[in-house]
Amino acid sequence: MRVLITGASRGIGAAVARSFAKRGARVALVARSKQNPVHGDLEGTLMQTACDVEALGGIPLVMNVDVSDAVAWKETLGRVTNALNGIDVLVNNASALYLNKVSSVKEMDLLHRVNTRATMMAIQECVPFMNNGGSFIM
């Protein structure tokens, strides 16, 4: 099974990666925090998740990218689909969130780039590779 997970460095994304690893999946782990957390108050990195995936029997592919960067994200999607020879499961887990009121156009733009555009780009790039016999998008 070939799985692409965004936001894979911590929380739900890392947990989903570990779950697929137990099934021996090839797992593309995508996030910004390869070696260090992006924010000081957040724990977890791509490399930690990759180690967990490998220890559980999965095969990790680490892709350090900011999904809000449309050019870099599209290139990464191409590299992932080439490296895995397609995608069976897409888990669009990356997100941006402001717990308080969004106070600027810059913050609204970030929410759109991460939560909407990056999600739609991933779907658009992955669906052609996914077969109808068991692939799904979360």
Side-chain angles (χ1 to χ4, degrees), residues 66-138:
D66 180 348
V67 299
S68 72
D69 179 339
V71 173
W73 181 216
K74 188 165 181 116
E75 290 172 1
T76 298
L77 287 165
R79 288 195 310 269
V80 167
T81 54
N82 285 334
L84 300 181
N85 196 29
I87 297 291
D88 297 308
V89 179
L90 169 61
V91 181
N92 264 321
N93 179 64
S95 66
L97 173 68
Y98 292 101
L99 296 176
N100 299 318
K101 184 174 95 175
V102 175
S103 61
S104 71
V105 172
K106 182 178 178 181
E107 290 175 345
M108 285 188 284
D109 287 345
L110 175 68
L111 293 173
H112 173 73
R113 287 192 317 269
V114 173
N115 299 340
T116 305
R117 187 179 66 196
T119 298
M120 295 307 296
M121 285 177 64
I123 292 169
Q124 189 173 18
E125 292 294 316
C126 292
V127 164
F129 291 97
M130 299 170 78
N131 65 37
N132 294 329
S135 300
F136 59 95
I137 298 172
M138 298 173 57

Side-chain angles (χ1 to χ4, degrees), residues 1-3 20 23-27 59 84 86-89 134 136:
M1 184 176 308
R2 303 159 301 174
V3 182
F20 277 108
R23 299 178 182 134
R26 295 170 63 198
V27 185
I59 302 169
L84 300 181
I87 297 291
D88 297 308
V89 179
F136 59 95

Side-chain angles (χ1 to χ4, degrees), residues 29-51:
L29 306 168
V30 177
R32 291 185 300 161
S33 54
K34 184 174 182 180
Q35 307 256 0
N36 299 304
V38 176
H39 302 287
D41 57 342
L42 298 176
E43 295 181 13
T45 66
L46 279 174
M47 297 313 294
Q48 290 170 340
T49 303
C51 288

Side-chain angles (χ1 to χ4, degrees), residues 6-17:
T6 66
S9 59
R10 72 185 115 270
I12 293 170
V16 170

